[in-house]
Amino acid sequence: MNMSTTQFDAIVIGGSYAGLSAALQLARARRRILVVDAGQRRNRFAGESHGFLTRDGHPAADIAGAGRAEVAAYDTVAWIDGSAVDARPDGEGFTVDLDSRGKVHGRRLVLATGVRDELPSIEGLAERWGKSVFHCPYCHGYELQQGAIGILANDELAFHQAMLLPDWGKVTLFTNGRYAPDAEQRAAMEKRGVLAIDDTPVLRIEDSATVVLADGRRIPHAGLFTYGRLHMASPIASQLGCEFDEGPLGPFIRTDMTKQTTVPGVFAGGDATRPAGNVAMAVADGAMAGLGAHRSLVFG
């Protein structure tokens, strides 16, 4: 297939869970679609995915791989392993510039471009991200078997985690100079069952999830939780002029109930369109974005 001369009904940018789900809906409507994917799933650091019905505890890469195989089985689907670097309106649709394959054109765009986590700057944290340091208790809390859980504060949102996490284990909050809970918050955390609030600076993370403090203490945990800032993993939405809403962790693409963005003909789903999400939400978002894109092709 000559990509540069093919007129696609829709181009799906991002081939993780939301993008695959959108592509599946469009493929089943027998539309000619192209999926462009750079292989940078947000949860690529995690070994297993949890909370997704029928796939609870399965390797995250296997779920994505099975989804790709299902979508690729439809003969109207084309796939490019690469990145979309620019997109713009062009006639009755959009032209997308690719990093290695020239240009492609589609009548509709579905953005499933995801987000990038900006992690707290603590030595040893990044290499443990998704393995013993997490952000979502619903995704990873149960497997800690009600053991010791440390929260590494990055800002005042640590209070939110501290109130949630006692359902999953014995919680210590390390404020690390990034968060100063007031008396009311301290009382609420004590009532909720938080065991300790430690204001000693955190030097680094060692072993699996051992917090090393400035006073020399080494406190092991079953797992650690923290928040980072979220950034768009792709500039495409901004290039197209999509509007954003501001969430507690960063901006996300504004969409309506059909997952259409503020730019006509551009739909979006997944983590890039939510203040927070998981695999199940991404799949649901992608399905709606795919349906929305198809209906817009039918009804204009």
Side-chain angles (χ1 to χ4, degrees):
M1 182 185 297
N2 188 330
M3 299 291 180
S4 62
T5 59
T6 300
Q7 168 75 303
F8 292 100
D9 290 314
I11 299 173
V12 179
I13 302 178
S16 187
Y17 310 103
L20 288 167
S21 183
L24 183 60
Q25 309 309 314
L26 288 158
R28 289 188 56 75
R30 300 186 180 277
R31 293 292 179 161
R32 186 178 296 277
I33 64 170
L34 171 67
V35 181
V36 181
D37 180 57
Q40 297 294 300
R41 290 177 296 105
R42 184 187 180 193
N43 72 348
R44 64 191 181 276
F45 304 102
E48 297 177 345
S49 176
H50 294 279
F52 184 29
L53 196 63
T54 78
R55 293 296 182 269
D56 186 39
H58 285 237
D62 288 359
I63 298 173
R68 175 170 176 168
E70 289 178 357
V71 170
Y74 289 84
D75 59 11
T76 59
V77 176
W79 190 287
I80 288 179
D81 292 310
S83 297
V85 296
D86 191 18
R88 57 198 172 276
D90 184 3
E92 295 184 1
F94 303 87
T95 290
V96 178
D97 295 337
L98 306 176
D99 57 352
S100 60
R101 299 286 295 274
K103 306 177 189 296
V104 290
H105 190 271
R107 295 172 61 195
R108 298 291 186 270
L109 293 183
V110 178
L111 307 183
T113 45
V115 296
R116 173 178 58 83
D117 293 281
E118 179 188 353
L119 302 177
S121 181
I122 298 174
E123 181 183 343
L125 189 152
E127 53 264 44
R128 292 167 175 80
W129 184 245
K131 301 174 180 67
S132 58
V133 182
F134 313 105
H135 75 284
C136 175
Y138 298 100
C139 300
H140 302 287
Y142 185 87
E143 282 62 44
L144 301 181
Q145 298 299 318
Q146 298 184 306
I149 294 174
I151 299 173
L152 305 171
N154 197 36
D155 54 32
E156 66 277 2
L157 288 175
F159 174 70
H160 178 77
Q161 282 193 324
M163 293 297 287
L164 283 178
L165 278 161
D167 283 346
W168 285 277
K170 304 170 182 65
V171 173
T172 296
L173 169 63
F174 298 95
T175 63
N176 200 29
R178 306 299 297 273
Y179 165 54
D182 58 29
E184 183 177 351
Q185 290 172 331
R186 286 178 179 269
M189 286 187 281
E190 180 180 358
K191 182 178 180 180
R192 186 73 177 91
V194 173
L195 295 182
I197 300 172
D198 199 317
D199 298 322
T200 308
V202 175
L203 292 184
R204 60 187 176 274
I205 311 302
E206 292 183 346
D207 305 322
S208 175
T210 296
V211 177
V212 181
L213 300 174
D215 60 10
R217 284 179 294 150
R218 301 178 76 259
I219 306 176
H221 297 84
L224 303 172
F225 285 81
T226 192
Y227 274 112
R229 292 291 296 172
L230 299 182
H231 303 275
M232 290 291 110
S234 166
I236 296 293
S238 294
Q239 291 168 352
L240 289 164
C242 297
E243 295 182 16
F244 292 80
D245 289 316
E246 189 65 31
L249 300 177
F252 58 96
I253 303 169
R254 181 180 301 167
T255 59
D256 65 14
M257 291 182 64
T258 69
K259 303 304 291 184
Q260 180 166 272
T261 71
T262 54
V263 176
V266 179
F267 295 77
D271 286 358
T273 68
R274 290 179 164 275
N278 59 21
V279 173
M281 293 178 187
V283 170
D285 267 0
M288 182 55 72
L291 294 176
H294 176 253
R295 290 174 182 177
S296 77
L297 288 166
V298 173
F299 297 108

